[in-house]
Coordinates of all heavy atoms in Angstrom, one line a residue:
K968 N 103.1 115.3 125.8 CA 103.9 114.3 126.4 C 104.5 113.3 125.4 O 105.7 112.9 125.5 CB 103.2 113.5 127.5 CG 102.8 114.4 128.8 CD 102.2 113.6 129.8 CE 101.9 114.4 131.0 NZ 101.2 113.7 132.2
L969 N 103.6 112.9 124.4 CA 104.1 112.0 123.4 C 105.2 112.7 122.5 O 106.2 112.0 122.2 CB 103.0 111.6 122.5 CG 103.3 110.5 121.4 CD1 103.9 109.3 122.0 CD2 102.0 110.2 120.6
H970 N 105.0 113.9 122.2 CA 106.0 114.7 121.4 C 107.3 114.8 122.2 O 108.4 114.6 121.6 CB 105.4 116.1 121.1 CG 106.4 117.0 120.4 ND1 106.7 116.9 119.1 CD2 107.3 118.0 121.0 CE1 107.7 117.8 118.8 NE2 107.9 118.5 119.8
V971 N 107.3 115.1 123.5 CA 108.5 115.2 124.3 C 109.2 113.8 124.4 O 110.4 113.8 124.2 CB 108.2 115.7 125.7 CG1 109.4 115.6 126.6 CG2 107.6 117.1 125.6
L972 N 108.4 112.8 124.5 CA 109.1 111.4 124.5 C 109.8 111.1 123.3 O 110.9 110.6 123.2 CB 108.0 110.4 124.9 CG 108.5 108.9 124.9 CD1 109.4 108.7 126.1 CD2 107.3 108.0 125.0
C973 N 109.1 111.4 122.1 CA 109.8 111.1 120.8 C 111.0 112.0 120.6 O 112.0 111.4 120.1 CB 108.7 111.4 119.7 SG 107.4 110.2 119.6
V974 N 111.0 113.2 121.0 CA 112.2 114.0 121.0 C 113.4 113.4 121.8 O 114.5 113.3 121.3 CB 111.9 115.5 121.4 CG1 113.2 116.2 121.5 CG2 111.0 116.1 120.4
K975 N 113.0 113.0 123.0 CA 114.0 112.5 123.9 C 114.6 111.2 123.4 O 115.7 111.0 123.5 CB 113.3 112.2 125.3 CG 114.2 111.7 126.3 CD 113.5 111.5 127.7 CE 114.4 110.9 128.7 NZ 113.8 110.6 130.0
K976 N 113.7 110.3 122.8 CA 114.2 109.0 122.3 C 114.7 109.1 120.9 O 115.2 108.1 120.4 CB 113.1 108.1 122.4 CG 112.5 107.7 123.7 CD 113.6 107.0 124.5 CE 113.0 106.6 125.9 NZ 114.0 106.0 126.8
K977 N 114.7 110.4 120.3 CA 115.2 110.6 118.9 C 114.4 109.7 117.9 O 114.9 109.2 117.0 CB 116.6 110.3 118.9 CG 117.5 111.2 119.7 CD 119.0 111.0 119.6 CE 119.8 112.0 120.4 NZ 121.2 111.8 120.3
W978 N 113.1 109.5 118.2 CA 112.2 108.9 117.3 C 111.6 110.0 116.3 O 111.6 111.2 116.7 CB 111.0 108.2 118.0 CG 111.4 107.1 118.9 CD1 112.5 106.4 118.9 CD2 110.7 106.7 120.0 NE1 112.5 105.5 119.9 CE2 111.4 105.6 120.6 CE3 109.5 107.1 120.6 CZ2 110.9 104.9 121.8 CZ3 109.0 106.3 121.7 CH2 109.7 105.3 122.3
P979 N 111.1 109.6 115.1 CA 110.4 110.6 114.3 C 109.2 111.1 115.0 O 108.6 110.4 115.9 CB 110.0 109.7 113.1 CG 111.0 108.6 113.0 CD 111.3 108.2 114.5
K980 N 108.8 112.3 114.7 CA 107.7 112.9 115.4 C 106.4 112.1 115.1 O 106.2 111.5 114.0 CB 107.5 114.4 115.0 CG 107.1 114.7 113.7 CD 107.0 116.2 113.4 CE 106.5 116.5 112.0 NZ 106.4 117.9 111.8
P981 N 105.5 112.1 116.0 CA 104.2 111.4 115.8 C 103.5 112.0 114.7 O 103.5 113.2 114.4 CB 103.4 111.6 117.1 CG 104.5 112.0 118.1 CD 105.5 112.7 117.4
T982 N 102.7 111.1 113.9 CA 101.9 111.6 112.9 C 100.4 111.3 113.1 O 100.1 110.2 113.5 CB 102.3 111.0 111.5 OG1 102.2 109.5 111.6 CG2 103.7 111.4 111.1
Y983 N 99.6 112.3 113.0 CA 98.1 112.1 113.3 C 97.3 112.1 112.0 O 97.6 112.9 111.1 CB 97.7 113.3 114.3 CG 98.3 113.1 115.6 CD1 99.5 113.8 115.8 CD2 97.7 112.5 116.7 CE1 100.1 113.8 117.1 CE2 98.3 112.4 117.9 CZ 99.5 113.1 118.1 OH 100.1 113.1 119.3
T984 N 96.3 111.3 112.0 CA 95.4 111.2 110.8 C 93.9 111.1 111.3 O 93.6 110.4 112.2 CB 95.7 109.9 110.0 OG1 97.1 109.9 109.7 CG2 94.9 109.8 108.7
I985 N 93.1 111.8 110.5 CA 91.7 111.7 110.8 C 91.2 110.4 110.1 O 91.2 110.4 108.9 CB 90.8 112.9 110.3 CG1 91.3 114.2 111.0 CG2 89.4 112.7 110.5 CD1 90.7 115.5 110.5
E986 N 90.9 109.5 110.9 CA 90.5 108.1 110.3 C 89.0 108.1 109.9 O 88.6 107.4 108.9 CB 90.7 107.0 111.2 CG 92.3 106.8 111.6 CD 93.0 106.2 110.5 OE1 92.5 105.8 109.5 OE2 94.3 106.3 110.6
K987 N 88.1 108.8 110.7 CA 86.7 108.6 110.4 C 86.0 110.0 110.9 O 86.4 110.5 111.9 CB 86.2 107.5 111.2 CG 84.8 107.1 110.9 CD 84.3 105.9 111.8 CE 85.3 104.7 111.8 NZ 84.8 103.6 112.7
E988 N 84.9 110.3 110.2 CA 84.0 111.3 110.6 C 82.6 110.7 110.8 O 82.2 110.1 109.9 CB 84.0 112.5 109.6 CG 85.4 113.2 109.5 CD 85.4 114.4 108.6 OE1 84.3 115.0 108.4 OE2 86.4 114.7 108.0
I989 N 82.0 111.0 111.9 CA 80.7 110.4 112.2 C 79.7 111.5 112.4 O 79.9 112.5 113.1 CB 80.8 109.5 113.5 CG1 82.0 108.5 113.4 CG2 79.5 108.8 113.8 CD1 82.4 107.8 114.6
G990 N 78.5 111.3 111.9 CA 77.3 112.1 112.2 C 77.3 113.3 111.2 O 78.2 113.7 110.5
P991 N 76.1 114.0 111.3 CA 75.9 115.2 110.5 C 76.7 116.4 110.9 O 77.4 116.3 112.0 CB 74.4 115.5 110.8 CG 74.1 114.9 112.1 CD 74.9 113.7 112.2
G992 N 76.8 117.5 110.1 CA 77.7 118.5 110.4 C 77.7 119.1 111.8 O 78.7 119.4 112.4
H993 N 76.4 119.4 112.3 CA 76.3 120.1 113.5 C 76.6 119.1 114.7 O 76.7 119.6 115.9 CB 74.9 120.7 113.7 CG 73.8 119.6 113.8 ND1 73.4 119.0 112.5 CD2 73.0 119.3 114.7 CE1 72.4 118.1 112.9 NE2 72.2 118.3 114.2
E994 N 76.7 117.8 114.4 CA 76.9 116.8 115.5 C 78.2 116.0 115.1 O 78.3 114.8 115.5 CB 75.8 116.0 115.8 CG 74.6 116.7 116.3 CD 73.3 115.8 116.5 OE1 73.4 114.6 116.2 OE2 72.3 116.2 117.1
R995 N 79.0 116.5 114.3 CA 80.2 115.8 113.7 C 81.1 115.3 114.8 O 81.4 116.0 115.8 CB 80.9 116.6 112.8 CG 82.0 115.9 112.0 CD 81.6 114.9 111.1 NE 80.5 115.3 110.2 CZ 80.6 115.9 109.0 NH1 81.8 116.0 108.5 NH2 79.6 116.2 108.3
Q996 N 81.4 114.0 114.7 CA 82.5 113.4 115.6 C 83.6 112.9 114.8 O 83.5 112.5 113.7 CB 81.9 112.2 116.4 CG 80.7 112.5 117.3 CD 81.2 113.0 118.6 OE1 82.1 112.5 119.2 NE2 80.4 113.9 119.2
F997 N 84.9 113.1 115.4 CA 86.1 112.7 114.7 C 86.8 111.6 115.4 O 86.9 111.6 116.6 CB 87.0 113.9 114.6 CG 86.4 115.0 113.8 CD1 85.8 116.1 114.5 CD2 86.5 115.2 112.4 CE1 85.2 117.2 113.8 CE2 86.0 116.2 111.7 CZ 85.3 117.2 112.4
V998 N 87.3 110.6 114.6 CA 88.2 109.6 115.2 C 89.6 109.7 114.5 O 89.7 109.6 113.3 CB 87.5 108.2 114.9 CG1 88.5 107.1 115.4 CG2 86.2 108.0 115.5
C999 N 90.5 109.9 115.3 CA 91.9 110.1 114.8 C 92.8 109.0 115.3 O 92.6 108.4 116.3 CB 92.5 111.5 115.4 SG 91.5 112.9 114.7
S1000 N 93.9 108.8 114.6 CA 94.9 107.9 114.9 C 96.2 108.6 115.0 O 96.4 109.7 114.5 CB 95.0 106.7 113.9 OG 95.5 107.2 112.7
V1001 N 97.2 108.0 115.7 CA 98.5 108.4 115.8 C 99.5 107.3 115.5 O 99.3 106.2 115.9 CB 98.9 109.1 117.2 CG1 98.6 108.1 118.3 CG2 100.2 109.6 117.2
K1002 N 100.6 107.6 114.8 CA 101.6 106.6 114.5 C 102.9 107.1 115.0 O 103.3 108.3 114.9 CB 101.7 106.3 112.9 CG 100.5 105.7 112.4 CD 100.7 105.5 110.9 CE 99.5 104.7 110.2 NZ 99.6 104.6 108.8
V1003 N 103.6 106.1 115.7 CA 105.0 106.4 116.1 C 105.9 105.3 115.7 O 105.6 104.1 116.0 CB 104.9 106.5 117.7 CG1 106.4 106.7 118.2 CG2 104.1 107.7 118.2
K1004 N 107.0 105.7 115.2 CA 108.0 104.7 114.7 C 109.0 104.4 115.8 O 109.8 105.3 116.2 CB 108.7 105.1 113.4 CG 109.5 103.9 112.9 CD 110.2 104.3 111.6 CE 110.9 103.1 111.0 NZ 111.6 103.4 109.7
V1005 N 109.0 103.2 116.4 CA 109.9 102.8 117.5 C 110.8 101.6 116.9 O 110.3 100.6 116.6 CB 109.2 102.3 118.7 CG1 110.2 101.8 119.8 CG2 108.3 103.4 119.2
A1006 N 112.1 101.9 116.7 CA 113.0 101.0 116.1 C 112.5 100.6 114.7 O 112.2 101.5 113.9 CB 113.3 99.7 117.0
D1007 N 112.3 99.3 114.5 CA 111.8 98.9 113.2 C 110.2 98.8 113.2 O 109.6 98.2 112.2 CB 112.4 97.6 112.8 CG 112.0 96.4 113.6 OD1 111.6 96.6 114.7 OD2 112.2 95.3 113.1
T1008 N 109.6 99.1 114.3 CA 108.2 98.9 114.4 C 107.4 100.2 114.3 O 107.7 101.2 115.0 CB 107.9 98.3 115.8 OG1 108.6 97.0 115.9 CG2 106.4 98.0 116.0
M1009 N 106.4 100.2 113.5 CA 105.4 101.4 113.4 C 104.2 101.0 114.2 O 103.4 100.1 114.0 CB 105.0 101.6 112.0 CG 104.0 102.8 111.8 SD 104.9 104.4 112.2 CE 105.8 104.6 110.7
L1010 N 104.1 101.7 115.4 CA 102.9 101.5 116.3 C 101.9 102.5 115.9 O 102.1 103.7 115.6 CB 103.4 101.9 117.7 CG 104.5 101.0 118.3 CD1 104.8 101.4 119.8 CD2 104.1 99.5 118.3
C1011 N 100.6 102.0 115.9 CA 99.4 102.8 115.5 C 98.4 102.7 116.6 O 98.1 101.5 117.0 CB 98.9 102.4 114.2 SG 97.5 103.3 113.7
S1012 N 97.9 103.8 117.0 CA 96.9 103.8 118.0 C 95.7 104.7 117.6 O 95.9 105.7 117.2 CB 97.4 104.2 119.4 OG 96.4 104.2 120.4
M1013 N 94.4 104.2 117.8 CA 93.3 104.9 117.4 C 92.6 105.6 118.7 O 92.5 104.9 119.7 CB 92.3 104.0 116.8 CG 91.1 104.7 116.2 SD 91.5 105.2 114.5 CE 91.6 103.7 113.6
G1014 N 92.3 106.8 118.5 CA 91.6 107.5 119.6 C 90.1 107.2 119.5 O 89.6 106.6 118.6
I1015 N 89.4 107.6 120.6 CA 87.9 107.5 120.6 C 87.3 108.8 119.9 O 88.0 109.8 119.7 CB 87.4 107.3 122.0 CG1 87.7 108.5 122.9 CG2 87.9 106.0 122.6 CD1 87.1 108.4 124.3

């Protein structure tokens, strides 16, 4: 849905980054962020 919205609004496509890795290998948890550029503002949101 975010990708479709960016295409529709002619914004650059969202960029995702792994911000953090938590726990040992077999219980590894990942925390990712996404950035979307809207006009002159770069919005950044962090996932759980």
Side-chain angles (χ1 to χ4, degrees):
K968 290 183 180 183
L969 183 58
H970 176 77
V971 170
L972 178 65
C973 290
V974 170
K975 181 179 178 182
K976 296 295 184 182
K977 297 182 179 179
W978 298 335
K980 67 178 183 179
T982 57
Y983 295 88
T984 303
I985 298 175
E986 299 287 349
K987 192 186 303 182
E988 296 184 26
I989 306 169
H993 63 287
E994 296 179 354
R995 186 65 50 89
Q996 297 277 325
F997 300 92
V998 178
C999 296
S1000 68
V1001 60
K1002 293 181 180 179
V1003 174
K1004 187 174 184 182
V1005 178
D1007 68 338
T1008 301
M1009 180 67 77
L1010 300 178
C1011 179
S1012 182
M1013 190 82 73
I1015 61 177

